[in-house]
Amino acid sequence: MSAQDLVFEPLDSGEALVSTAISRVTAQDDTTIVLLAGPIKSGKTTVIVSLYELFNQGPVGGLFFGGSETLVAFERISHTGRMASGRSIPETVRTNPSSPTAFLHLRVVGTGEGLPKASNLLLSDVTGEAFEEARNVSEPTIIPRRLWRRADAICVLLDGEKLSSVTTRHLVRTGARSLLRAAREANLISSRCRLMLVTTKWDLVSSNETVEFVGETESWLLDQFRSDFESAASHRIAARPNSSRVPYAYGVPDLLVDWIAKPQLKVPIVAPSPTSSGMSSFAQVFWHQQRELVAGVLNVV
Amino acid sequence: MSSEQTVVLVGLPGSGKTTFLAALWHQLESEEIQTAFTTDRLQPDREYLNGIRDAWLAFKEVPHTSAGIEQSALLRVRHVQTGKKFDLAIPDVAGETYKRQWLERQLPGTYIHQLHHSFGVILFVHPEQVLHPALLDGAVRDSTGSEALHEWEPALTPTQVRLVDLIQSALGVFDRSHVLRLALVVSAWDLVESPATPEVWVERHLPLLDQFLRANTGRVMSKIFGASAIGGSLTESEMLARTPTPSSRVRLHISSENLRDLSRTIEFLTLGES
Amino acid sequence: MHALFSDWYQVIDPLAPRETIEKRWAATEECLEGLDMGKVAELATYVALVQPQTLSWFRAVYKKHDDVMKTRGVDEEIRLLAAVVLRVAIEREDDLAVLSALCLLTGVFGRSDQPKWLEEHLNEAARTLAAMGRSVREFAETGEISSTADGDEHNRFLEATVAMIKTLRESNDFLWWAFTGHSLTLGESYSGLSGPTLAVTAPADLIGFSRMLPLSAEAETLLLHVVMERAELDAKYSFKAYASSLTRAQAQKLARPVPAKCQLLCPILWVLQVSSEGKAWQTEFERLFKIKTSTPIPMPAFTLQFLRELCLLRSTHAEQGVI
């Protein structure tokens, strides 16, 4: 046995990345950070688990699984949804409120038009506690402000089961509004952040009346908060449906595609401001007539 | 004369590494069939290779390498078509070592050294040892009696996840511009029911791994093979003994081609895609 | 420290300690001090293409200021820092600023996976070029010089007058060019050229009349006008289509040699060069530039890109710099 035989190099643990460790991913690749926020049991972790399980079965939304730095963490949280756990009913382990915010990493590769495009995702669910702290304290510590502002997307989860019940639906609605309002007032949202309203447990939304209510809620929230974000969209998912009429992880592939969507940067051009020269006058005429047309194709600065 | 480089055999315990090596050695050394490589007359360290080859010939269980003891084989070969010579070091490392990577999150220094000086990796998977993730059906509502809950443990991890982790760890040893050559060998291919091609089998049974390989062609140059080096279960040994030569017990499937020469895997690692 | 540096850096590490940010800034300043044309081109190439083994001189400076900085697994960080160096250089509005802006803009053209953080730097590059283009062409109009003025003042007055005349001649020539619709480069009328051919020809003609760099925003507007007047705005052609719209003779007239370090920043000039030699180019193009030759590109973007590539070329010669 040589001396080399006794040497071991540590591997990365494969566990979830705490917020001070995410630079392991963000310093290497362009990374999209997604925060999932919502009340307890609204389904935040289940969304993540269902996405992972989908990849275990095949490509998702036309995207291939390209690797993960946090495979061990994914396995841990998926365990209680599998037969090996000894359960007969799938469950999701609740995020421990006292553990630091942790991110799961997923690299996905699309081979659409053009060359293969890799996207790196860091996903984290925001505990109610972290959110409350951010609302109330000027320098939050569970999720520091700089981390909030680094988020590329904030998903606000609306519990479909609670929306289906007349007694709880209004709470869901006002809860989401209060969350977004607090985020705005605490200056947690950066101008490049996108908003996604995600109604979960869609399999439990069965009446037309509830569907209408959900639609109204989505519009109501989007109208109020769209301008605080770069863009806003809504999704309806059933990550782990209780009924067999809805497929497993319904709506999750579309959500994934939305997370990684990145509009191509347009070539910038400056529309000049007026001066006294003839050329400049001509330019003013051009931009007056053609600005809208050109803005569809170039980034008019 | 090229300097010595390694072919690293990677796989969980019982995935077929040693059996493959035994059959490969026999094919090269016996010259019973035409192989892509020929061996030099002078082969140092033949003892281990001969030992495992003899067991294979006699249809005995090829002895699995015990953990902690690494056997090393050195083959001096010449590629017939191009005339190129290679010195192949083929360490036969216990599957335990790779199993431990997932559990203990560490890589042995020797393994890292081998990777750095390798042509590439042959990754073995045994089709009867694949652990699939079995999801609980959310639609099932009634609880069936007593629930003996099992905490998560690393051993419950699906095979495809462990294989992805093995490849990721190997890649982590190199920097990003390095392209790792990987021959993925589905061993005991004869046990695969209604076999399509090895690629289709991997896509169906190890979809996470399949996606990973397709998504990372910039870092992993891979090729999938189906290999069967016993040609039947050990209880059929009598029937198999009637085949003309031991080498012809062997099958190597590349896409829909059905060959015998196991050294084609080595050819892929040393010379790349033809 | 630049007021925005901390915000820029936090894309890479949102929770980076103050000390780390200060070390990165110190290294950035050192890079800025030693910046030359060759380095500008290398940095812009890295921002566009992230080639892992390159920029060792750059990485070494950052490592020097922070010995715990990782040497591996920091490609995106290096890319961001390279873009920041160019950005700060652009803000200085000196000669290297023009080159930095042009290199940054031309390098990212046609690529489909540019990070979002790059957008503000690209916009600033365009804005600065426009601002500098304006300031070299704007003069205080004074018709008189005082009777007690000395030789230096006379010379300055003369220089300003000459510069004003240059500006006037330039805009005159531009407008005549737009009016007549004739290509001096090809010796053909624009009315006989197809849309994609025009998109390549017009910038070459326009820059032939320019007297100073950078071009003004009005000149870029004029280019758009000339091309859009004669072709569909939303027409999109692939690189392949733009290239094949030219005969070999036309490509030869349009092609110009590019300094080695700027090669990967000028895809259109590269294609013209190989087309003019009659060689097949698509595979090599995709390998080098990582742009698919079949990707559709709107004409205004294509023509603007070629104009900027030509300006880039011009600004390297003007400095007589060795790249």
Side-chain angles (χ1 to χ4, degrees), chain B residues 36-55:
Chain B
F37 293 86
T38 53
T39 53
D40 230 313
R41 292 286 174 98
L42 305 165
Q43 294 288 348
D45 290 332
R46 297 192 293 292
E47 191 183 329
Y48 175 67
L49 286 175
N50 286 337
I52 58 174
R53 186 266 305 269
D54 292 347

PDB file of all heavy atoms in Angstrom, chain B residues 36-55:
ATOM      1  N   ALA B  36      -9.698  -6.394 -31.554  1.00  0.00           N
ATOM      2  CA  ALA B  36      -9.202  -5.113 -32.040  1.00  0.00           C
ATOM      3  C   ALA B  36      -7.762  -4.855 -31.612  1.00  0.00           C
ATOM      4  O   ALA B  36      -7.055  -4.053 -32.215  1.00  0.00           O
ATOM      5  CB  ALA B  36     -10.114  -3.983 -31.551  1.00  0.00           C
ATOM      6  N   PHE B  37      -7.360  -5.542 -30.531  1.00  0.00           N
ATOM      7  CA  PHE B  37      -5.990  -5.386 -30.041  1.00  0.00           C
ATOM      8  C   PHE B  37      -5.312  -6.746 -29.995  1.00  0.00           C
ATOM      9  O   PHE B  37      -5.957  -7.771 -29.830  1.00  0.00           O
ATOM     10  CB  PHE B  37      -5.996  -4.812 -28.610  1.00  0.00           C
ATOM     11  CG  PHE B  37      -6.488  -3.399 -28.521  1.00  0.00           C
ATOM     12  CD1 PHE B  37      -7.836  -3.147 -28.410  1.00  0.00           C
ATOM     13  CD2 PHE B  37      -5.596  -2.329 -28.525  1.00  0.00           C
ATOM     14  CE1 PHE B  37      -8.307  -1.841 -28.316  1.00  0.00           C
ATOM     15  CE2 PHE B  37      -6.060  -1.032 -28.422  1.00  0.00           C
ATOM     16  CZ  PHE B  37      -7.416  -0.780 -28.321  1.00  0.00           C
ATOM     17  N   THR B  38      -4.023  -6.730 -30.124  1.00  0.00           N
ATOM     18  CA  THR B  38      -3.267  -7.950 -29.831  1.00  0.00           C
ATOM     19  C   THR B  38      -2.358  -7.649 -28.656  1.00  0.00           C
ATOM     20  O   THR B  38      -2.010  -6.495 -28.405  1.00  0.00           O
ATOM     21  CB  THR B  38      -2.383  -8.376 -31.019  1.00  0.00           C
ATOM     22  OG1 THR B  38      -1.570  -7.246 -31.387  1.00  0.00           O
ATOM     23  CG2 THR B  38      -3.219  -8.799 -32.203  1.00  0.00           C
ATOM     24  N   THR B  39      -2.002  -8.716 -27.955  1.00  0.00           N
ATOM     25  CA  THR B  39      -1.146  -8.494 -26.792  1.00  0.00           C
ATOM     26  C   THR B  39       0.289  -8.823 -27.137  1.00  0.00           C
ATOM     27  O   THR B  39       0.598  -9.679 -27.942  1.00  0.00           O
ATOM     28  CB  THR B  39      -1.539  -9.402 -25.614  1.00  0.00           C
ATOM     29  OG1 THR B  39      -1.572 -10.748 -26.092  1.00  0.00           O
ATOM     30  CG2 THR B  39      -2.899  -9.037 -25.079  1.00  0.00           C
ATOM     31  N   ASP B  40       1.126  -8.110 -26.490  1.00  0.00           N
ATOM     32  CA  ASP B  40       2.557  -8.354 -26.569  1.00  0.00           C
ATOM     33  C   ASP B  40       2.837  -9.703 -25.932  1.00  0.00           C
ATOM     34  O   ASP B  40       2.135 -10.113 -25.015  1.00  0.00           O
ATOM     35  CB  ASP B  40       3.252  -7.276 -25.724  1.00  0.00           C
ATOM     36  CG  ASP B  40       4.346  -6.642 -26.510  1.00  0.00           C
ATOM     37  OD1 ASP B  40       5.115  -7.400 -27.118  1.00  0.00           O
ATOM     38  OD2 ASP B  40       4.410  -5.406 -26.497  1.00  0.00           O
ATOM     39  N   ARG B  41       3.891 -10.348 -26.362  1.00  0.00           N
ATOM     40  CA  ARG B  41       4.235 -11.604 -25.697  1.00  0.00           C
ATOM     41  C   ARG B  41       4.550 -11.368 -24.235  1.00  0.00           C
ATOM     42  O   ARG B  41       4.207 -12.161 -23.378  1.00  0.00           O
ATOM     43  CB  ARG B  41       5.474 -12.224 -26.355  1.00  0.00           C
ATOM     44  CG  ARG B  41       5.246 -12.709 -27.761  1.00  0.00           C
ATOM     45  CD  ARG B  41       4.446 -13.991 -27.784  1.00  0.00           C
ATOM     46  NE  ARG B  41       4.102 -14.397 -29.125  1.00  0.00           N
ATOM     47  CZ  ARG B  41       4.779 -15.308 -29.809  1.00  0.00           C
ATOM     48  NH1 ARG B  41       5.823 -15.904 -29.276  1.00  0.00           N
ATOM     49  NH2 ARG B  41       4.395 -15.620 -31.020  1.00  0.00           N
ATOM     50  N   LEU B  42       5.266 -10.284 -23.970  1.00  0.00           N
ATOM     51  CA  LEU B  42       5.746 -10.077 -22.603  1.00  0.00           C
ATOM     52  C   LEU B  42       4.732  -9.277 -21.795  1.00  0.00           C
ATOM     53  O   LEU B  42       4.590  -8.089 -21.961  1.00  0.00           O
ATOM     54  CB  LEU B  42       7.080  -9.302 -22.633  1.00  0.00           C
ATOM     55  CG  LEU B  42       8.162  -9.942 -23.497  1.00  0.00           C
ATOM     56  CD1 LEU B  42       9.272  -8.931 -23.761  1.00  0.00           C
ATOM     57  CD2 LEU B  42       8.722 -11.171 -22.796  1.00  0.00           C
ATOM     58  N   GLN B  43       3.984  -9.926 -20.978  1.00  0.00           N
ATOM     59  CA  GLN B  43       3.030  -9.250 -20.110  1.00  0.00           C
ATOM     60  C   GLN B  43       3.480  -9.411 -18.666  1.00  0.00           C
ATOM     61  O   GLN B  43       3.513 -10.512 -18.152  1.00  0.00           O
ATOM     62  CB  GLN B  43       1.633  -9.886 -20.229  1.00  0.00           C
ATOM     63  CG  GLN B  43       0.974  -9.718 -21.579  1.00  0.00           C
ATOM     64  CD  GLN B  43       0.514  -8.287 -21.825  1.00  0.00           C
ATOM     65  OE1 GLN B  43       0.488  -7.470 -20.915  1.00  0.00           O
ATOM     66  NE2 GLN B  43       0.180  -8.015 -23.076  1.00  0.00           N
ATOM     67  N   PRO B  44       3.858  -8.368 -18.017  1.00  0.00           N
ATOM     68  CA  PRO B  44       4.203  -8.501 -16.601  1.00  0.00           C
ATOM     69  C   PRO B  44       2.925  -8.742 -15.800  1.00  0.00           C
ATOM     70  O   PRO B  44       1.839  -8.516 -16.281  1.00  0.00           O
ATOM     71  CB  PRO B  44       4.799  -7.131 -16.264  1.00  0.00           C
ATOM     72  CG  PRO B  44       4.193  -6.193 -17.247  1.00  0.00           C
ATOM     73  CD  PRO B  44       3.872  -6.981 -18.482  1.00  0.00           C
ATOM     74  N   ASP B  45       3.039  -9.182 -14.581  1.00  0.00           N
ATOM     75  CA  ASP B  45       1.913  -9.314 -13.651  1.00  0.00           C
ATOM     76  C   ASP B  45       0.743 -10.105 -14.212  1.00  0.00           C
ATOM     77  O   ASP B  45      -0.387  -9.626 -14.217  1.00  0.00           O
ATOM     78  CB  ASP B  45       1.381  -7.916 -13.252  1.00  0.00           C
ATOM     79  CG  ASP B  45       2.379  -7.196 -12.371  1.00  0.00           C
ATOM     80  OD1 ASP B  45       3.133  -7.883 -11.669  1.00  0.00           O
ATOM     81  OD2 ASP B  45       2.401  -5.953 -12.414  1.00  0.00           O
ATOM     82  N   ARG B  46       1.020 -11.282 -14.701  1.00  0.00           N
ATOM     83  CA  ARG B  46      -0.079 -12.043 -15.291  1.00  0.00           C
ATOM     84  C   ARG B  46      -0.820 -12.862 -14.253  1.00  0.00           C
ATOM     85  O   ARG B  46      -1.880 -13.407 -14.532  1.00  0.00           O
ATOM     86  CB  ARG B  46       0.439 -13.000 -16.368  1.00  0.00           C
ATOM     87  CG  ARG B  46       1.067 -12.259 -17.529  1.00  0.00           C
ATOM     88  CD  ARG B  46       1.296 -13.163 -18.690  1.00  0.00           C
ATOM     89  NE  ARG B  46       2.306 -14.216 -18.464  1.00  0.00           N
ATOM     90  CZ  ARG B  46       3.584 -14.007 -18.304  1.00  0.00           C
ATOM     91  NH1 ARG B  46       4.072 -12.786 -18.299  1.00  0.00           N
ATOM     92  NH2 ARG B  46       4.422 -15.034 -18.115  1.00  0.00           N
ATOM     93  N   GLU B  47      -0.280 -12.905 -13.065  1.00  0.00           N
ATOM     94  CA  GLU B  47      -0.823 -13.836 -12.076  1.00  0.00           C
ATOM     95  C   GLU B  47      -2.293 -13.550 -11.759  1.00  0.00           C
ATOM     96  O   GLU B  47      -3.121 -14.446 -11.771  1.00  0.00           O
ATOM     97  CB  GLU B  47       0.020 -13.755 -10.804  1.00  0.00           C
ATOM     98  CG  GLU B  47      -0.313 -14.866  -9.834  1.00  0.00           C
ATOM     99  CD  GLU B  47       0.483 -14.710  -8.548  1.00  0.00           C
ATOM    100  OE1 GLU B  47       1.623 -14.191  -8.616  1.00  0.00           O
ATOM    101  OE2 GLU B  47      -0.038 -15.086  -7.488  1.00  0.00           O
ATOM    102  N   TYR B  48      -2.549 -12.288 -11.492  1.00  0.00           N
ATOM    103  CA  TYR B  48      -3.941 -11.950 -11.146  1.00  0.00           C
ATOM    104  C   TYR B  48      -4.861 -12.228 -12.318  1.00  0.00           C
ATOM    105  O   TYR B  48      -5.916 -12.870 -12.176  1.00  0.00           O
ATOM    106  CB  TYR B  48      -4.028 -10.482 -10.708  1.00  0.00           C
ATOM    107  CG  TYR B  48      -5.451 -10.044 -10.447  1.00  0.00           C
ATOM    108  CD1 TYR B  48      -6.168 -10.587  -9.376  1.00  0.00           C
ATOM    109  CD2 TYR B  48      -6.094  -9.133 -11.269  1.00  0.00           C
ATOM    110  CE1 TYR B  48      -7.484 -10.220  -9.135  1.00  0.00           C
ATOM    111  CE2 TYR B  48      -7.404  -8.760 -11.029  1.00  0.00           C
ATOM    112  CZ  TYR B  48      -8.086  -9.310  -9.967  1.00  0.00           C
ATOM    113  OH  TYR B  48      -9.390  -8.944  -9.734  1.00  0.00           O
ATOM    114  N   LEU B  49      -4.466 -11.772 -13.483  1.00  0.00           N
ATOM    115  CA  LEU B  49      -5.306 -11.950 -14.666  1.00  0.00           C
ATOM    116  C   LEU B  49      -5.574 -13.434 -14.937  1.00  0.00           C
ATOM    117  O   LEU B  49      -6.696 -13.839 -15.234  1.00  0.00           O
ATOM    118  CB  LEU B  49      -4.642 -11.335 -15.890  1.00  0.00           C
ATOM    119  CG  LEU B  49      -4.656  -9.811 -15.966  1.00  0.00           C
ATOM    120  CD1 LEU B  49      -3.851  -9.340 -17.164  1.00  0.00           C
ATOM    121  CD2 LEU B  49      -6.076  -9.289 -16.048  1.00  0.00           C
ATOM    122  N   ASN B  50      -4.528 -14.230 -14.851  1.00  0.00           N
ATOM    123  CA  ASN B  50      -4.697 -15.659 -15.100  1.00  0.00           C
ATOM    124  C   ASN B  50      -5.622 -16.290 -14.069  1.00  0.00           C
ATOM    125  O   ASN B  50      -6.435 -17.158 -14.400  1.00  0.00           O
ATOM    126  CB  ASN B  50      -3.338 -16.370 -15.107  1.00  0.00           C
ATOM    127  CG  ASN B  50      -2.571 -16.061 -16.391  1.00  0.00           C
ATOM    128  OD1 ASN B  50      -3.160 -15.701 -17.407  1.00  0.00           O
ATOM    129  ND2 ASN B  50      -1.263 -16.191 -16.348  1.00  0.00           N
ATOM    130  N   GLY B  51      -5.486 -15.842 -12.847  1.00  0.00           N
ATOM    131  CA  GLY B  51      -6.335 -16.377 -11.777  1.00  0.00           C
ATOM    132  C   GLY B  51      -7.810 -16.148 -12.057  1.00  0.00           C
ATOM    133  O   GLY B  51      -8.631 -17.068 -11.994  1.00  0.00           O
ATOM    134  N   ILE B  52      -8.147 -14.951 -12.392  1.00  0.00           N
ATOM    135  CA  ILE B  52      -9.570 -14.678 -12.629  1.00  0.00           C
ATOM    136  C   ILE B  52     -10.022 -15.313 -13.940  1.00  0.00           C
ATOM    137  O   ILE B  52     -11.161 -15.780 -14.060  1.00  0.00           O
ATOM    138  CB  ILE B  52      -9.917 -13.169 -12.593  1.00  0.00           C
ATOM    139  CG1 ILE B  52      -9.125 -12.349 -13.615  1.00  0.00           C
ATOM    140  CG2 ILE B  52      -9.728 -12.604 -11.181  1.00  0.00           C
ATOM    141  CD1 ILE B  52      -9.575 -10.878 -13.685  1.00  0.00           C
ATOM    142  N   ARG B  53      -9.117 -15.390 -14.895  1.00  0.00           N
ATOM    143  CA  ARG B  53      -9.476 -16.013 -16.174  1.00  0.00           C
ATOM    144  C   ARG B  53      -9.778 -17.497 -16.000  1.00  0.00           C
ATOM    145  O   ARG B  53     -10.737 -18.032 -16.577  1.00  0.00           O
ATOM    146  CB  ARG B  53      -8.323 -15.784 -17.169  1.00  0.00           C
ATOM    147  CG  ARG B  53      -8.614 -16.246 -18.597  1.00  0.00           C
ATOM    148  CD  ARG B  53      -8.129 -17.677 -18.885  1.00  0.00           C
ATOM    149  NE  ARG B  53      -6.717 -17.874 -18.595  1.00  0.00           N
ATOM    150  CZ  ARG B  53      -5.747 -17.697 -19.500  1.00  0.00           C
ATOM    151  NH1 ARG B  53      -6.042 -17.357 -20.725  1.00  0.00           N
ATOM    152  NH2 ARG B  53      -4.486 -17.883 -19.150  1.00  0.00           N
ATOM    153  N   ASP B  54      -8.985 -18.142 -15.198  1.00  0.00           N
ATOM    154  CA  ASP B  54      -9.202 -19.572 -14.965  1.00  0.00           C
ATOM    155  C   ASP B  54     -10.554 -19.826 -14.322  1.00  0.00           C
ATOM    156  O   ASP B  54     -11.259 -20.782 -14.689  1.00  0.00           O
ATOM    157  CB  ASP B  54      -8.078 -20.151 -14.091  1.00  0.00           C
ATOM    158  CG  ASP B  54      -6.749 -20.171 -14.837  1.00  0.00           C
ATOM    159  OD1 ASP B  54      -6.754 -19.972 -16.081  1.00  0.00           O
ATOM    160  OD2 ASP B  54      -5.706 -20.370 -14.190  1.00  0.00           O
ATOM    161  N   ALA B  55     -10.910 -18.981 -13.377  1.00  0.00           N
ATOM    162  CA  ALA B  55     -12.220 -19.162 -12.728  1.00  0.00           C
ATOM    163  C   ALA B  55     -13.334 -18.987 -13.751  1.00  0.00           C
ATOM    164  O   ALA B  55     -14.306 -19.735 -13.793  1.00  0.00           O
ATOM    165  CB  ALA B  55     -12.383 -18.157 -11.590  1.00  0.00           C
TER     166      ALA B  55
END
